[in-house]
Amino acid sequence: MAEVTEVDVVVVGMGPGGEDAAGRLAEAGLDVIGVEAGLVGGECPYYGCIPSKMMIRAADALAEARRVNRLAGEAKVRASWDPVAARLREATADWDDKAAADRFTDKGGRLVRGFGRVSGPREVTVGERVLRARRAVVLNPGTEPVVPPIEGLEGTPFWTNREAVKTTRAPESLLVLGGGPIGVEMAQAFARFGTRVTVLEGGRRPLSREEPEAGDLVAQVFEREGIAVHTGQKAERVGYSDGRFTVEAGGRSFEAERFLVATGRKTDLGRLGVAKIGLDESARTITVDERMRAADGVWAIGDVTGHGAFTHVSMYQAAIAVRDILGQDGPPADYRALPRVTFTDPEVGAVGLTEAQAREKGLDVRTGCTPLSSSSRGWIHEAEGFIKLVAAGDELVGATTAGPAGGEVMSALAVAIHGRVPVSALKHMIYAYPTFHRAIETALAELK
Ligand SMILES: Cc1cc2nc3c(=O)[nH]c(=O)nc-3n(C[C@H](O)[C@H](O)[C@H](O)COP(=O)(O)OP(=O)(O)OC[C@H]3O[C@@H](n4cnc5c(N)ncnc54)[C@H](O)[C@@H]3O)c2cc1C
């Protein structure tokens, strides 16, 4: 006989949103079980945001040091991956989640280790144990790297982000399959440590979901930094022998010591068992309403909802789901001002709609774009980048801010979009001199 445990709430998957929701609900006095098959905290702290940004921070330090010779004297730079590997080990406690697990149980929650499968309405089974939720089941299964069915790939020691962040040395050469945010961030980080990097991207440019100007800028900077970017390339065959990968794409053959597959993320809804609550197992995402409700007594949050695979989305949705489960009032989900940042150098910040998305929606679109050099600080820093604004009527609906600290500059425009600040009001505010964000004023003047 299976052991049955009744609780108020079962949270399946303890990614950033799941951990946050489970902790808050436990703190509110509910009896909460969090189910986790891997590491409490999910992808972000162990294999995603934190380790990748630590790699990038180190790579940026090298790039900045290399600018000394041009700007401020002489600096000899010898890159070493050792401090990066050491910091990553420390930041992830050597990929151990004890601190995160304790953080949750200290709030009164109970942790069940194992893979949770939805086995009925408000019911989750973990191994032989059945968990029944009186009030709510929260699904936060996150995503896993997609491994495309390329001939010869299976069985080779290819990397996904999970292996890449665990490496103890920068490889001599690296082929990156996929020019999305994960691919380009890793490509530039390793290249700055001396790795010879080639990016193979299936689309016309890297960062294909963002404004075309952003992808073109990244491709241009990569070329100058010695990172080869081949667009319109689909890998057809992979070979591995004597410690080297050979990848055939578009009639050409590419060779490298390491092969990083960064071709997107997926969730296996069949394995999660969502058909038991009437949801489509073959879908890519779980559809939720504006309060994160997916089915009767079931809420879903995070990457699996398809509203943007970002930690901030997962946490934002967790807060909404928690309020709803506790019967508290609060605003429903609103993704108009969804921000995202690709942490390349130049950094690409973006919020809301791209021009193409705004046109697809049939909006009466006006755009304004200015190079960062139009601001004095951009000129002083010899900064590459731009600010592009997308407006409909007297309201901004999207913006892209590429350049130094592009993600930080973007926040001003995120506030404008979130708060529906009229363009006419933005045109008449004071922008501090000399800042990168002063280019916003020029881009506003360019709106047509
Ligand atoms: C290389 C990389 C860099 C990234 N950089 C950024 C960034 O800079 N900024 C940003 O906002 N986002 C970034 N992301 C995305 C970010 O990591 C995710 O959006 C974030 O982790 C939120 O995911 P989530 O809450 O949906 O769940 P996840 O973090 O995916 O966690 C889900 C958890 O659920 C567990 N699980 C799954 N199914 C079950 C089950 N049935 N039973 C029990 N446990 C289960 C998994 O083991 C996992 O621990 C990055 C991702 C990667 C890969």
Side-chain angles (χ1 to χ4, degrees), residues 13 15-16 36-37 42-43 49 53 115-116 140-143 161 303 309-311 314:
E36 176 52 57
E43 196 81 2
C49 332
K53 266 80 261 180
F115 190 86
N140 177 230
T143 46
N161 60 294
D303 291 7
F310 303 106
T311 290
S314 189

Side-chain angles (χ1 to χ4, degrees), residues 10-205:
V10 179
V11 178
V12 181
M14 296 283 276
E19 187 196 339
D20 187 55
R24 284 181 195 229
L25 291 166
E27 280 179 324
L30 298 188
D31 187 6
V32 180
I33 284 186
V35 184
E36 176 52 57
L39 298 172
V40 176
E43 196 81 2
C44 178
Y46 302 101
Y47 304 107
C49 332
I50 304 278
S52 64
K53 266 80 261 180
M54 277 193 162
M55 289 161 59
I56 289 163
R57 168 74 189 109
D60 281 350
L62 290 173
E64 193 63 1
R66 286 173 185 138
R67 289 177 189 127
V68 166
N69 289 356
R70 191 177 133 55
L71 294 171
E74 199 182 317
K76 281 207 172 69
V77 183
R78 194 179 60 80
S80 164
W81 194 259
D82 294 349
V84 183
R87 278 192 89 203
L88 289 182
R89 237 186 353 264
E90 193 186 321
T92 59
D94 211 1
W95 288 272
D96 183 310
D97 66 353
K98 186 178 179 314
D102 289 350
R103 197 162 56 218
F104 171 55
T105 51
D106 287 351
K107 289 176 183 166
R110 278 183 283 163
L111 181 63
V112 172
R113 300 248 179 215
F115 190 86
R117 212 179 134 75
V118 179
S119 44
R122 297 180 196 223
E123 189 186 280
V124 172
T125 300
V126 187
E128 294 298 304
R129 192 162 173 193
V130 175
L131 307 173
R132 294 224 173 99
R134 286 183 286 264
R135 207 186 280 201
V137 169
V138 179
L139 301 176
N140 177 230
T143 46
E144 303 205 313
V146 166
V147 178
I150 305 168
E151 189 187 326
L153 178 62
E154 207 184 316
T156 66
F158 66 89
W159 278 357
T160 66
N161 60 294
R162 294 180 182 173
E163 291 75 28
V165 301
K166 281 192 158 185
T167 188
T168 51
R169 67 179 181 84
E172 162 271 317
S173 53
L174 174 71
L175 274 170
V176 179
L177 187 66
I182 295 173
V184 293
E185 285 185 2
M186 296 257 179
Q188 192 178 44
F190 279 112
R192 288 182 163 184
F193 277 85
T195 300
R196 190 167 48 79
V197 179
T198 304
V199 178
L200 303 176
E201 160 59 37
R204 286 167 61 187
R205 53 175 66 83

Side-chain angles (χ1 to χ4, degrees), residues 285-298:
T285 59
I286 295 180
T287 304
V288 289
D289 69 7
E290 75 283 1
R291 307 236 173 239
M292 305 304 125
R293 295 178 194 178
D296 184 37
V298 180

